[in-house]
Amino acid sequence: MSVEDEILRQRLASVREIRALGFSPYGHRFDYTHSIPEVLRLWGAAGAEELDRNRTTLRICGRIQTIRRMGKAGFAHLMQEGERLQIYLRQDSLTAAEFDLYRRLLDLGDIVGAEGYLFRTKTGELTLHVGRLDFLAKTLLNMPEKWHGLEDVETRYRQRYLDLIANPEVRRVFLTRSRIVASLRRQLEERGFVEVETPMMQPIYGGATARPFITHHNALDIDLYLRIAPELYLKRLVIGGLERVYEINRNFRNEGISTQHNPEFTMLEFYQAYTDYRGLMDFSCELLRQVAIDATGSAEVSWQGRTLDFGRIRRFSLREAILEFWRDGPPPTMDELRDPAWLARRSTKASPGEALLDVFEQVVEERLIEPTIIYDYPLETSPLAKSKPDEPDFVERFEIYAGGIEIANAYTELNDPQEQRRRFEMQLAAAERGDEEAHRMDEDYLRAMCYGLPPTGGEGIGIDRLAMILTDSRSIRDVILFPLLRPEPPLGLAERLRAAEAATAHEG
RNA sequence: GAGCCGGUAGCUCAGGAGGUAGAGCAUCUGCCUUUUAAGCAGAGGGUCCUGGGUUCGAGUCCCAGCCGGCUCACCA
């Protein structure tokens, strides 16, 4: 018999004994007077005499993290909400059943409730002297090892609950992620933005360049696409008079998986009527500075051994950045960056604009460690952005980089329907040349634009990537609770549970 | 999709010139009423990822595959 099956049988035998002693192995409501973090906050600094003088009865609960049995007494640590408190149990303070429960039937990972009073041990640790012990939930499988936690990356992702139990820093990462989202919501709400939800299943996908997931609706007998972006729906809402809207939700892109890409990822998109990309740059700087403070306590964030200052976000135009960050010999001149022949020598891309962006991505992108705004992008790569009045081959668009990755993309929205029609037609031509990711013609969106989209600025912020930066995480999987993995083969657990149940039933 | 690295007990990991598989934690038994990586004494536990091949003999060498990680490509 394998170790796991042996443990399974032992634990199921314990379940029967716990019941026989009058406890419930899968308990019931437990009204604790204080959570463990509350206990630590209230009494963490209280001295031994003070605790003895003001002896109060508390009820606490949590998962058993360590247990040290010493004959007629012993200690355990209970873990709740990421913090732990020691409890002390002794034979002469408990009923026979309670002591038996503690002595023979508690395993690491079990969830218990305890009532008692606080004291300090010889070594000074705050500890609950238990007068009543309650059983709340049994663990049937071995918990991860206590010294090293859970290291196996695959298990950490597949069984995130174990990761959260065993690795306190993982818990902190996801709490920080939650604070990031809360901070963004609060800041947007304070400025009058309205949160909305737009379709995830779309008949025509758009708003980004990516391959989609396709699904099927049976009753309507139509294929639908999981959205690659909410952009076109949010702008319809701006047309409808929701002048400040935002959505924080999932996008789905049928592309490769990497440390920076998960097929489903979370995006904040917000639109503000009557502003432009300059206005959004200023807003973004405030937004990111405050998010950094709310998430980490400081606008200066440590990332992979460097310090990123979200209080001072640099700004370069795309072409300035190429000159600034050029490392491969003497930098080109601004005239060369404007010269299609020069660009064609530097990139295999079809058009000068695409080639310029290609050069930027080769030369600059990974060097943008410090938070940086890059603005003024080539028109060809931005089918939904308004062009610059004085430079029609470029659009009023910027991206924000930090840690060498793109975390935001924003532009002044194109609001001329005839120009939008021409851009769609350019995309169709690209699609005919074989560009799988080219934008589709979206006449329904064109119709909406024909009713008048006010001058508007719109921005998307990649929440997962922002969370990576603000939690010092190297992989997007470390900030997504359940990243996509290939499915596991069948576990055979139901069969093992059935066998163990049959075996212990015979013993009983 | 390509390259590199990895997969040994429930967990964390050693080991391996080819010759019956190791530690710590966890589990079980015994002792222990202020311990805290509790301690002490003993015991059980393995498809060394899978399938082929070479060999008297493969966990170790070779090939293929599976799963994962990293890098690159695509992308945000």
Side-chain angles (χ1 to χ4, degrees):
Chain A
M1 187 171 21
S2 75
V3 178
E4 268 203 308
D5 286 333
E6 191 184 317
I7 285 174
L8 204 51
R9 293 189 187 192
Q10 287 160 4
R11 300 278 167 99
L12 286 171
S14 292
V15 164
R16 297 166 67 89
E17 292 200 55
I18 288 165
R19 232 178 234 124
L21 282 178
F23 296 96
S24 168
Y26 298 101
H28 40 73
R29 166 174 173 165
F30 185 82
D31 292 321
Y32 56 88
T33 58
H34 300 77
S35 70
I36 285 174
E38 281 170 345
V39 172
L40 297 176
R41 203 168 60 244
L42 290 170
W43 290 286
E49 283 182 26
E50 185 188 341
L51 291 170
D52 289 342
R53 222 172 29 244
N54 307 314
R55 188 174 278 188
T56 38
T57 300
L58 316 179
R59 288 161 64 79
I60 65 159
C61 52
R63 191 185 286 279
I64 298 173
Q65 199 195 23
T66 65
I67 191 160
R68 293 172 291 284
R69 280 180 267 242
M70 299 171 301
K72 299 183 182 63
F75 293 86
H77 276 108
L78 296 192
M79 172 79 89
Q80 186 184 23
E81 291 173 20
E83 299 194 60
R84 53 183 234 173
L85 179 68
Q86 184 169 257
I87 62 175
Y88 177 54
L89 306 106
R90 42 190 294 164
Q91 191 168 34
D92 53 18
S93 299
L94 297 168
T95 66
E98 285 167 335
F99 189 74
D100 210 23
L101 176 71
Y102 145 75
R103 188 79 188 96
R104 296 172 36 241
L105 301 172
L106 293 188
D107 291 298
L108 296 180
D110 287 353
I111 297 171
V112 298
E115 183 179 297
Y117 60 87
L118 292 170
F119 73 108
R120 293 227 174 244
T121 62
K122 273 184 188 166
T123 54
E125 180 165 351
L126 185 68
T127 301
L128 189 85
H129 192 292
V130 178
R132 286 185 59 187
L133 182 64
D134 222 329
F135 197 84
L136 301 177
K138 190 69 192 167
T139 167
L140 297 182
L141 296 173
N142 249 328
M143 300 302 286
E145 201 242 17
K146 64 185 172 188
W147 299 358
H148 308 87
L150 180 64
E151 301 281 343
D152 184 78
V153 179
E154 187 177 351
T155 309
R156 288 185 44 225
Y157 294 155
R158 289 197 195 279
Q159 296 178 263
R160 184 68 89 179
Y161 45 92
L162 291 181
D163 195 25
L164 287 164
I165 290 167
N167 299 321
E169 68 282 6
V170 171
R171 179 188 172 88
R172 283 196 292 275
V173 164
F174 287 103
L175 293 181
T176 300
R177 180 179 170 129
S178 171
R179 283 203 300 276
I180 290 167
V181 174
S183 170
L184 290 168
R185 276 212 169 88
R186 181 180 55 73
Q187 293 191 68
L188 287 160
E189 297 284 337
E190 280 171 2
R191 290 169 172 84
F193 284 82
V194 174
E195 182 168 13
V196 296
E197 293 175 84
T198 63
M200 298 250 179
M201 297 195 294
Q202 303 178 347
I204 299 175
Y205 62 94
T209 53
R211 301 213 307 270
F213 288 92
I214 304 171
T215 187
H216 187 80
H217 188 274
N218 290 336
L220 296 178
D221 191 25
I222 50 168
D223 281 342
L224 291 166
Y225 302 97
L226 298 190
R227 74 177 187 195
I228 58 173
E231 171 160 350
L232 300 181
Y233 285 90
L234 291 170
K235 286 195 284 200
R236 285 174 172 93
L237 296 178
V238 178
I239 292 167
L242 295 177
E243 293 184 355
R244 294 185 177 205
V245 287
Y246 73 99
E247 179 164 9
I248 298 176
N249 225 322
R250 227 68 64 79
N251 291 342
F252 306 87
R253 298 190 186 174
N254 207 340
E255 311 273 0
I257 295 175
S258 80
T259 48
Q260 287 168 46
H261 301 88
N262 195 62
E264 55 177 315
F265 63 101
T266 303
M267 184 89 114
L268 160 66
E269 282 203 18
F270 60 91
Y271 291 82
Q272 179 180 343
Y274 307 111
T275 189
D276 66 2
Y277 79 139
R278 294 277 169 190
L280 289 183
M281 283 186 209
D282 297 338
F283 180 30
S284 299
C285 290
E286 289 174 40
L287 204 57
L288 290 177
R289 182 181 152 275
Q290 191 60 46
V291 167
I293 291 169
D294 291 341
T296 70
S298 166
E300 292 186 18
V301 176
S302 113
W303 191 80
Q304 307 293 306
R306 318 236 335 220
T307 300
L308 312 186
D309 187 356
F310 282 92
R312 266 180 306 176
I313 301 182
R314 303 174 299 177
R315 302 185 190 193
F316 297 97
S317 79
L318 183 100
R319 284 166 292 185
E320 285 167 1
I322 292 173
L323 307 189
E324 174 77 20
F325 291 93
W326 192 272
R327 289 293 178 277
D328 180 23
T333 63
M334 198 55 96
D335 284 337
E336 282 174 316
L337 293 187
R338 293 199 176 91
D339 176 8
W342 186 89
L343 289 167
R345 283 198 299 276
R346 286 283 166 175
S347 166
T348 57
K349 300 288 181 181
S351 70
E354 289 167 296
L356 182 67
L357 190 62
D358 192 28
V359 169
F360 168 80
E361 285 169 358
Q362 290 171 37
V363 172
V364 182
E365 186 167 356
E366 66 180 22
R367 300 187 202 278
L368 297 177
I369 307 297
E370 299 284 324
T372 308
I373 287 175
I374 303 292
Y375 60 89
D376 290 355
Y377 279 70
L379 180 137
E380 299 98 306
T381 61
S382 316
L384 301 163
K386 181 177 269 185
S387 50
K388 287 174 62 100
D390 55 340
E391 206 173 15
D393 291 343
F394 283 80
V395 294
E396 297 188 351
R397 171 180 174 187
F398 69 89
E399 295 187 346
I400 305 176
Y401 289 84
I405 59 180
E406 182 192 335
I407 57 176
N409 179 22
Y411 36 85
T412 309
E413 301 301 334
L414 174 56
N415 65 339
D416 173 347
Q418 290 288 28
E419 175 63 16
Q420 183 66 72
R421 189 206 85 235
R422 285 191 289 274
R423 300 282 188 89
F424 278 145
E425 285 164 355
M426 282 171 61
Q427 291 289 308
L428 288 179
E432 276 174 31
R433 288 196 305 269
D435 184 349
E436 277 186 71
E437 297 185 337
H439 227 282
R440 302 300 194 253
M441 173 64 74
D442 188 340
E443 290 195 296
D444 183 72
Y445 175 65
L446 267 186
R447 175 172 62 182
M449 284 189 76
C450 288
Y451 288 97
L453 172 64
T456 298
E459 178 163 343
I461 296 180
I463 298 297
D464 313 276
R465 289 179 172 186
L466 181 59
M468 285 170 68
I469 300 296
L470 297 182
T471 60
D472 200 6
S473 299
R474 280 177 53 243
S475 171
I476 200 168
R477 289 171 172 145
D478 291 326
V479 300
I480 292 175
L481 283 165
F482 298 100
L484 185 68
L485 301 177
R486 210 175 282 276
E488 276 181 290
L491 302 178
L493 181 60
E495 176 55 37
R496 286 171 47 211
L497 283 169
R498 195 180 308 119
E501 184 175 64
T504 49
H506 291 142
E507 287 160 17

